[in-house]
Amino acid sequence: MIIETNSPQETFEVAKKLAGEAKAGDIYALSGDLGAGKTLFTQGFAKGLGIDEIVNSPTFTILQIYESGVMPLFHFDVYRIADIDEMDEIGYEEYFYSDGVCIIEWASMIEELLPLHYTKINISRDDEKGFDYRKIEIKKV
Ligand code: ADP
Ligand code: MG
């Protein structure tokens, strides 16, 4: 599925709607350049799970957990991971195979740890289509 948006609000709404379909154990792997909208997408997704806390990029902590929604949301940002062992250190398996939902920014950096089935989301810009244009590709693998 490909969705095109022209404002942050639109991307937020797309993600919020998608969260309505999320089931426990689901993993959403986000990719896209810096500033593409991965964190913004996560904010909308969190909202869709009924989470009212402030959601920011957990770049310096790798993982942020939100438990105020209909199910736990495990928000990873693996951009600063230098070694895949750091994922073991935070005990990622407990979250990947859990009663919550995982959303992972820069997921391609830990591709070998992803389970067989997950939802791939790529967000990209196109300068010719304007500053706020984003193409959001959603694909279940
Ligand atoms: P990332 O986490 O991918 O580095 P962020 O979500 O932190 O990116 O930032 C995305 C930025 O792009 C925000 O400042 C947001 O307001 C802006 N933006 C502009 N248009 C869009 C759009 N259509 N969808 C998402 N973000 C957009
Ligand atoms: Mg981010």
Side-chain angles (χ1 to χ4, degrees), residues 46-137:
K47 188 73 176 179
L49 291 179
I51 293 162
D52 283 316
E53 295 156 80
I54 293 167
V55 174
N56 282 313
S57 235
T59 298
F60 295 99
T61 51
I62 302 176
L63 170 65
Q64 203 69 248
I65 301 175
Y66 301 98
E67 293 185 294
S68 62
V70 293
M71 60 187 139
L73 177 66
F74 305 113
H75 178 202
F76 293 80
D77 184 329
V78 300
Y79 185 63
R80 277 174 205 281
I81 275 189
D83 194 287
I84 209 90
D85 289 347
E86 287 178 44
M87 288 297 284
D88 285 322
E89 282 162 28
I90 63 165
Y92 79 93
E93 284 188 305
E94 185 188 326
Y95 307 107
F96 278 23
Y97 306 96
S98 77
D99 58 355
V101 180
C102 289
I103 192 158
I104 309 165
E105 296 191 43
W106 300 101
S108 58
M109 295 182 72
I110 56 148
E111 200 151 25
E112 62 260 55
L113 301 183
L114 295 174
L116 201 55
H117 298 293
Y118 60 94
T119 303
K120 251 184 181 165
I121 299 166
N122 185 64
I123 308 174
S124 55
R125 292 194 184 98
D126 183 338
D127 289 341
E128 287 178 6
K129 295 189 174 172
F131 192 67
D132 288 347
Y133 170 88
R134 299 291 189 275
K135 183 167 81 178
I136 305 170
E137 298 169 271

Side-chain angles (χ1 to χ4, degrees), residues 5-8 11 33-40 105 132 134:
T5 69
N6 286 290
S7 70
T11 295
D33 294 341
L34 201 67
K38 300 180 294 301
T39 298
L40 193 112
E105 296 191 43
D132 288 347
R134 299 291 189 275

